[in-house]
Amino acid sequence: MLRQYELIDRVLSYDPDADEALLNRAYVFSLAAHGSQKRASGDPYFSHPIEVAGILTDLHLDDETIATAILHDTVEDTVATQEQIEKTFGPSVARLVDGVTKLSKIEAQSDNERAAENLRKFLLAMSDDIRVLLVKLADRLHNMRTLHHIAKPEKRRRIARETMDIYAPLAERIGMYEFMKEMQTIAFKELEPEAYDSINKRLEQMRKGGGDQVARIASGLRLLLGQKGIKAEVEGREKHPYSIWRKMTERHISFEQLSDVMAFRVIVDDVEQCYRALGLLHQRWPMVPGRFKDYISTPKRNGYRSLHTAVIHTERVRIEIQIRDRKMHAEAEFGVAAHWSYKAGGTIQPDVNARWIQDLVEILDHAASPEELLEHTRMAMYQDRIFAFTPQGELIQLPKGATPIDFAYAVHTDLGDQTVGAKINGRVVPLRTPIQNGDQVQILRSKAQEPQPSWMNFAATGKARAKIRRYVRNKEQAEMVALGRRFYDAVVARLPAQLAPDALDQAVKRLKLPDSDRLMEEIARGNLTDQQVMEALMPGSAGELAMRPRLPDPRAISMKGLTPGVAFTLAPCCTPVPGDRIVGVRHPDAPVVVHVIECPVLQAAPEEDWVDLAWGDGSEGGVARLQVIVRNQPGALGVMAGILGTQHANIVNLTLSQRDESFHTFDVLIEVQDVGHLMRILAALRAAEAVASAERTEPKAPLVA
C-alpha cells in the first residue's frame, strides 16, 4: 500500500502547485473513517482507496481528483456524511465524491433494475464532470485486480459481467485502452476460464515454436525505418486473450486459423513521419486489403488518432501495425486524461469532444424500462465504428450496420423524426440500407413526417431506437386514452340514470387510479370490463346488466383519427379495409384487434370482449387479400400487374400458389383505400381477357388444435 508521503510525492512530481494540505486531509480523514474495516483479501480496507488514487497519479490527474479517489467510499461504507465531506474538502470534491459513491442495494429491485438505476445515476454524474468516470474506472480496475479474493463464485461472475458490459466499453470510449484491456482480461478469465486457459496455452506453444518472434519482427521494423532516416520506437506484443477469443468467435475460426495474433506499435516524432513510415512498410511488405484505417485524418469519437494497417511479413505471418507520433501515443495511453490541462487555482477543464456522453444521457430520458436502458447504453458503448459524411463534409461516427435512420438521429433528433428518405453517395436508397465506411449520406426530410414503428426493425444505434420507442410509446398512450374515452362514452350511454358531476372523479378513486387519463387507458387496454366501469361510476348499476345477454351497441365506436398498429391492429386473418362491417376484440394489455364481422376467428372470442366499431370518415386504407387466376399464356402476369398499377393499388406480396397446364393461381396482397376501391380493382381484373377470375379471399377459419 502506498504511504502518505509516497502518494503526495507522486502528485507533486507532475503538479508542483498541487494542494498538498488537501491531499493530507483526505488521507487522514479516509484512514480514520475506514478504521478497522477489512477487504475480502484480509488487507485493511483503506488500502483500496489509496491504490485507486495511485492508479490515477499514473494519469497525472489533479489534486481534487486524487482527493476524491481517497474519499470515494467514505460516504457509503463509513459513518461519514456528504455534509462532512463538503465542509472539510469543499463543494467541488464533495460533488465528485457524490458522483462516484456507489448506490445502496435496494432489495425490492431486480438485478436489471438495480444495474440500470446505478448506470442512470452514474451517467448523469459523469456528464456533469468527466473526472467522476476516471475515478470510477480506477476504482473498478483495482476491484478487478483483487477479484480473486472474493469467495463466492456467483458474486465474482456478476462483477466480471458488469465490468465486461459497462466499464470496459466506457474505458474504450474515452480512449483508456490499457484500462479496457486489463479489465477485459480479468473478466474473461472469470467468465470463460476454460477458453482463457486454452488461449494462453496456445500462445505459450506459439512462443516456444517461433522463438522470440515478436522481438525479431520489432527489430526488423526498427532497422528498416532507421535505414530510411526515421527514428522510431517499435513495441511488439501478442494480443491479449479476450481480443483473440472475440475474433475467433466473431469469425467462427480456430486459433490456428487466426493469422493476426501479433501487433506492433511504431512511435515517431511527427505526423509527416507517420505517413512516411506507412509508405515504407507498404513498400516492403504486401498490405492486407481492407485492413488500413487512417484515424489521423478521421479520429475516433474519443479523440484517438493513429494509422492502422496489416501486412504479410517475411516470416509468413500477418501482423498488425499502429503508427503514431508521441502526442498521439500519450493520448492513446491516457485517453481523455491526456486532454486535461491545469489552470490557475487547481481546476481543470476538458478539451475533448464528449458528444457520445450526451448521447447516453439522451438515452436515459427516453428509456421506458431498465432492460431498455441497459440495451441502448450497451449498444451505444460497445460497437465497432464506421465513418460517414454529411453533404457539407461533417464527419459522423456510427456503429457497423447503421442505416440512414441512425445517421439522421446522430445529426439531430428533429432530422431523425422528419426523415422520409435518404441518398447514399447521390443515389436514393431504402432507409434500411446499411451505411458503409466513407459513405456520404443525405437525409430527405418533411415536416409532416413522424417516426414510424417499422424503423425499429432496422435502427442500429441506441439513440435512434430510444427516440423511436419513446415517440411510439407516447403516441400509443395518447391514442389509447382517446380510444378509451370513446369506450367510456358508450358505457355511460348504457347507464340507467344521468351521472353526477363528480362521478368520474369518484370512479377514479374507487378504482385506485392516478387520474382519468389512466382510467381511459385501462379501459382501452381491456384491463377493465364494462361492468367494472359502470359499477365504479354508479354503484349497483351493473348488477342487472350482467344478468342480461349482451346486445349489439347501436352506437358503434368510431376509429377516426387512430393509427393502425398503435391503438388498434387489423387482424391478419381477415384483413379488414375501410367500408367493411367490423368488430373489435379487446385483450388485456394489448391494442384492440379489428375483425370483419364474418371472420370465423370471432367465434372463439367471448362476446363480452366484442366492441362494435365503425371506420369513421377519412380512415386510412388497408391491405386486402385477393386470389387471382390468370391464363397460362405469355404476358398474363404483366396484364394483372398493369391493371393493379393503373388502379393505384400497391402490391405488398405476390405468391404463386398453384399452377397447371391452363391456369396459374396467385395469392395477392394489395394496399387499397377502401371497399369501393377494392371493388373497382376486382371489376377491372375480371374484365381482362387474360384473367380467368379474381376474388377477395374469404376470412380464414381459426386453426383447430
Side-chain angles (χ1 to χ4, degrees):
M1 181 180 75
L2 283 173
R3 297 178 182 274
Q4 184 173 355
Y5 73 89
E6 292 174 328
L7 179 65
I8 293 173
D9 283 349
R10 281 196 186 187
V11 178
L12 294 176
S13 68
Y14 62 82
D15 181 16
D17 298 326
D19 189 342
E20 189 174 345
L22 172 69
L23 298 175
N24 281 321
R25 288 200 308 275
Y27 194 102
V28 173
F29 185 95
S30 183
L31 179 62
H34 287 292
S36 60
Q37 290 177 346
K38 301 284 186 183
R39 285 176 61 79
S41 62
D43 295 333
Y45 191 92
F46 178 65
S47 64
H48 168 65
I50 295 305
E51 292 299 328
V52 172
I55 290 171
L56 293 175
T57 61
D58 293 336
L59 303 179
H60 294 183
L61 291 180
D62 66 308
D63 46 21
E64 286 186 347
T65 310
I66 302 302
T68 300
I70 299 171
L71 299 166
H72 78 271
D73 274 341
T74 53
V75 174
E76 180 192 4
D77 293 333
T78 76
V79 295
T81 65
Q82 190 68 25
E83 290 73 21
Q84 284 180 291
I85 299 293
E86 183 167 357
K87 182 178 179 181
T88 309
F89 303 100
S92 182
V93 171
R95 178 174 49 81
L96 290 172
V97 171
D98 185 51
V100 179
T101 297
K102 301 170 185 174
L103 297 177
S104 299
K105 294 182 178 179
I106 303 173
E107 296 300 329
Q109 290 183 330
S110 69
D111 286 344
N112 269 355
E113 286 174 330
R114 184 164 57 248
E117 188 59 22
N118 275 308
L119 183 61
R120 182 188 302 274
K121 296 288 182 65
F122 175 58
L123 290 177
L124 289 172
M126 179 182 74
S127 68
D128 184 54
D129 194 325
I130 195 69
R131 290 178 292 177
V132 171
L133 175 56
L134 300 179
V135 177
K136 187 65 177 178
L137 289 176
D139 172 46
R140 178 51 61 116
L141 178 59
H142 186 256
N143 282 333
M144 291 302 291
R145 288 174 176 174
T146 58
L147 183 66
H148 59 282
H149 291 298
I150 296 176
K152 293 183 178 180
E154 61 273 14
K155 185 175 181 181
R156 293 198 305 269
R157 289 183 64 82
R158 178 182 62 78
I159 294 172
R161 174 51 59 196
E162 187 179 58
T163 300
M164 193 70 87
D165 287 347
I166 295 175
Y167 293 102
L170 279 170
E172 189 273 338
R173 277 291 171 263
I174 62 171
M176 300 179 70
Y177 293 101
E178 296 306 314
F179 274 41
M180 177 197 73
K181 292 172 186 174
E182 187 174 353
M183 285 192 283
Q184 284 179 339
T185 299
I186 299 171
F188 176 52
K189 182 178 181 180
E190 183 62 43
L191 295 171
E192 301 286 348
E194 292 182 2
Y196 177 85
D197 291 340
S198 175
I199 290 173
N200 273 328
K201 287 178 182 177
R202 301 289 182 86
L203 289 172
E204 183 63 32
Q205 292 170 359
M206 187 184 74
R207 294 185 204 109
K208 290 179 180 178
D212 200 352
Q213 192 178 32
V214 171
R216 288 200 310 272
I217 294 175
S219 178
L221 294 174
R222 194 179 302 111
L223 179 62
L224 171 68
L225 297 173
Q227 290 173 342
K228 300 297 183 179
I230 298 178
K231 184 180 179 182
E233 297 176 21
V234 180
E235 303 171 358
R237 60 175 175 80
E238 296 161 348
K239 292 187 176 179
H240 64 291
Y242 175 70
S243 174
I244 293 173
W245 180 80
R246 188 177 174 191
K247 287 192 174 183
M248 289 168 58
T249 54
E250 286 177 351
R251 301 178 189 176
H252 305 288
I253 58 176
S254 65
F255 183 89
E256 289 74 18
Q257 294 172 298
L258 194 67
S259 55
D260 50 349
V261 176
M262 291 178 288
F264 296 85
R265 187 175 295 147
V266 176
I267 303 170
V268 296
D269 289 334
D270 54 41
V271 173
E272 181 183 352
Q273 290 193 358
C274 290
Y275 287 101
R276 280 192 63 208
L278 175 71
L280 291 170
L281 293 173
H282 282 183
Q283 284 178 348
R284 178 65 181 82
W285 295 290
M287 184 194 78
V288 178
R291 298 301 302 273
F292 170 63
K293 296 177 181 177
D294 186 346
Y295 293 122
I296 295 180
S297 63
T298 53
K300 288 188 177 183
R301 202 168 189 179
N302 57 24
Y304 174 86
R305 295 181 300 154
S306 185
L307 298 176
H308 288 197
T309 189
V311 299
I312 308 296
H313 193 264
T314 311
E315 298 203 15
R316 296 182 180 178
V317 293
R318 188 167 73 173
I319 61 173
E320 288 189 0
I321 305 173
Q322 300 171 356
I323 308 170
R324 58 180 72 138
D325 67 19
R326 301 186 193 285
K327 182 179 179 182
M328 297 174 199
H329 182 59
E331 292 170 350
E333 289 289 299
F334 299 117
V336 71
H339 291 268
W340 290 62
S341 56
Y342 290 94
K343 301 243 178 153
T347 60
I348 50 180
Q349 297 294 329
D351 186 32
V352 66
N353 180 2
R355 180 176 173 182
W356 68 274
I357 298 177
Q358 297 305 320
D359 287 349
L360 292 182
V361 174
E362 282 190 47
I363 289 172
L364 298 180
D365 297 332
H366 295 81
S369 66
E371 292 77 12
E372 200 174 296
L373 172 60
L374 291 173
E375 173 199 347
H376 292 336
T377 49
R378 286 169 184 165
M379 288 173 66
M381 291 188 297
Y382 203 44
Q383 288 177 317
D384 292 335
R385 316 300 284 183
I386 61 170
F387 300 91
F389 298 88
T390 67
Q392 292 74 35
E394 180 186 356
L395 177 67
I396 303 295
Q397 295 191 38
L398 297 164
K400 285 185 178 178
T403 64
I405 285 295
D406 301 299
F407 184 94
Y409 277 107
V411 174
H412 197 279
T413 296
D414 290 344
L415 182 62
D417 289 347
Q418 298 171 7
T419 298
V420 293
K423 291 182 178 180
I424 294 182
N425 301 326
R427 294 177 58 248
V428 176
V429 297
L431 290 178
R432 63 174 62 249
T433 305
I435 297 172
Q436 304 300 318
N437 210 21
D439 281 346
Q440 184 191 81
V441 183
Q442 179 184 355
I443 300 299
L444 310 177
R445 67 192 299 181
S446 168
K447 292 184 178 180
Q449 176 67 302
E450 298 175 343
Q452 302 300 305
S454 61
W455 292 353
M456 288 295 294
N457 297 328
F458 48 83
T461 60
K463 181 178 181 180
R465 293 176 69 85
K467 295 283 188 182
I468 298 165
R469 272 184 175 162
R470 182 175 187 181
Y471 181 87
V472 172
R473 190 165 54 242
N474 290 342
K475 184 178 180 66
E476 179 185 13
Q477 184 178 17
E479 292 205 5
M480 281 293 185
V481 170
L483 181 61
R485 196 166 295 278
R486 298 174 192 182
F487 290 162
Y488 169 81
D489 291 340
V491 169
V492 170
R494 295 161 61 193
L495 288 170
Q498 189 172 351
L499 284 176
D502 65 343
L504 178 57
D505 293 337
Q506 294 301 318
V508 169
K509 290 180 181 178
R510 292 188 185 105
L511 294 169
K512 298 180 180 179
L513 296 173
D515 51 41
S516 60
D517 280 353
R518 181 63 179 275
L519 171 61
M520 303 308 165
E521 189 176 350
E522 292 296 298
I523 294 172
R525 292 187 182 279
N527 294 329
L528 291 173
T529 65
D530 290 356
Q531 284 76 13
Q532 287 174 309
V533 177
M534 294 177 79
E535 194 66 24
L537 289 168
M538 189 176 290
S541 63
E544 181 183 353
L545 182 70
M547 300 298 293
R548 300 199 308 264
R550 184 183 184 280
L551 299 175
D553 191 338
R555 295 175 42 149
I557 296 168
S558 172
M559 294 193 300
K560 182 179 180 180
L562 302 180
T563 307
V566 179
F568 68 91
T569 59
L570 300 174
C573 50
C574 53
T575 58
V577 297
D580 285 328
R581 172 73 191 284
I582 51 176
V583 171
V585 178
R586 280 191 282 181
H587 302 281
D589 281 323
V592 173
V593 181
V594 180
H595 295 264
V596 176
I597 191 67
E598 298 89 1
C599 183
V601 171
L602 290 175
Q603 299 171 10
E607 285 196 17
E608 57 267 23
D609 293 336
W610 288 23
V611 181
D612 291 299
L613 299 176
W615 290 101
D617 297 335
S619 294
E620 294 185 10
V623 176
R625 182 185 290 109
L626 307 183
Q627 185 181 82
V628 182
I629 302 175
V630 300
R631 304 185 191 282
N632 186 4
Q633 62 186 42
L637 181 59
V639 170
M640 179 182 74
I643 292 171
L644 294 176
T646 302
Q647 296 293 327
H648 305 291
N650 188 41
I651 300 175
V652 177
N653 194 22
L654 178 68
T655 305
L656 177 61
S657 59
Q658 186 177 346
R659 62 181 298 175
D660 55 37
E661 292 183 359
S662 302
F663 300 98
H664 290 174
T665 302
F666 291 94
D667 292 328
V668 190
L669 283 179
I670 58 172
E671 292 177 349
V672 298
Q673 299 165 7
D674 51 32
V675 170
H677 184 205
L678 175 58
M679 292 300 105
R680 291 193 298 274
I681 293 169
L682 288 173
L685 287 170
R686 291 165 182 163
E689 192 277 332
V691 177
S693 70
E695 302 292 340
R696 183 179 183 184
T697 305
E698 293 295 322
K700 293 182 179 180
L703 296 175
V704 179

